Amino acid sequence: MLVETKGGLRPSSADALLGSLGARPRSFSKYVSAASLLRDDIPDNDVRRLRGHQLHLEEATA
């Protein structure tokens, strides 16, 4: 599961709680991840290894 927090230089109380539960910080670009999942010619910065595990691309339905 990916959880986004908006922490600063010091961990917030939410970051501390997540850390106590075993979650570890990871740098992650939502823009790069979406673009690389949609187009194979865009560098993925290791996003593709998350595909199918934590990221799922589904076709939109109207």
Side-chain angles (χ1 to χ4, degrees):
M1 173 185 294
L2 298 174
V3 177
E4 180 180 1
T5 63
K6 297 291 186 181
L9 295 176
R10 293 184 219 170
S12 67
S13 58
D15 293 327
L17 175 61
L18 288 167
S20 72
L21 296 172
R24 296 294 171 249
R26 170 179 272 163
S27 177
F28 189 79
S29 167
K30 292 180 281 189
Y31 175 81
V32 171
S33 64
S36 68
L37 290 172
L38 295 172
R39 294 185 46 179
D40 289 333
D41 62 323
I42 295 176
D44 62 9
N45 295 345
D46 297 328
V47 170
R48 284 191 181 91
R49 67 184 172 80
L50 299 174
R51 184 187 296 186
H53 298 280
Q54 296 176 346
L55 296 175
H56 305 281
L57 183 62
E58 298 178 12
E59 188 172 326
T61 58

